[in-house]
Amino acid sequence: VSSVFDYWFHVQDGPGSHVVLKRDHPGQDVPEQTLREAAILAALKSYRTNDSKADVMCALVKDVRKVKGWAHGQVAVDSVLQNLHVDIDQSLEEKLAKK
């Protein structure tokens, strides 16, 4: 359901869920705070959930691909846009749900 120009986030160096941040078009600017919140959500649903900080990669969906023969959920990332070092806020999901 994602578009090639959407952003994909995943915690670095271990298992976790990915987060896709939808954009309306490839030129749509996304506030830095929104990128950081998406990265924190990815960290919260990963092996780093109980840590205070995490490193999360951000890539375009078009640069993330499944590889035949790899384990379920494993992907190759051809190009990382940026790495975000985030403070994990355990209450972020609740805060965002109230907005």
Side-chain angles (χ1 to χ4, degrees):
V1 181
S2 59
S3 298
V4 295
F5 50 80
D6 292 338
Y7 291 125
W8 177 90
F9 297 84
H10 193 279
V11 72
Q12 292 183 356
D13 302 324
S17 297
H18 66 259
V19 171
V20 174
L21 180 60
K22 302 283 293 166
R23 294 194 298 166
D24 293 329
H25 54 82
Q28 181 180 9
D29 288 328
V30 177
E32 183 66 25
Q33 180 63 27
T34 302
L35 295 173
R36 297 193 75 69
E37 288 172 346
I40 294 167
L41 291 172
L44 283 169
K45 301 301 180 185
S46 76
Y47 77 105
R48 301 293 304 266
T49 191
N50 293 320
D51 295 344
S52 61
K53 297 181 182 294
D55 292 317
V56 178
M57 69 178 99
C58 173
L60 290 174
V61 166
K62 72 177 182 115
D63 294 324
V64 180
R65 58 187 170 83
K66 295 179 185 179
V67 177
K68 186 176 181 178
W70 283 15
H72 177 72
Q74 273 191 314
V75 297
V77 180
D78 296 327
S79 179
V80 175
L81 289 174
Q82 65 178 315
N83 292 303
L84 297 131
H85 185 72
V86 295
D87 295 322
I88 299 175
D89 179 356
Q90 297 293 333
S91 64
L92 179 62
E93 286 181 285
E94 186 178 319
K95 290 176 190 173
L96 292 174
K98 290 180 180 178
K99 286 187 176 182

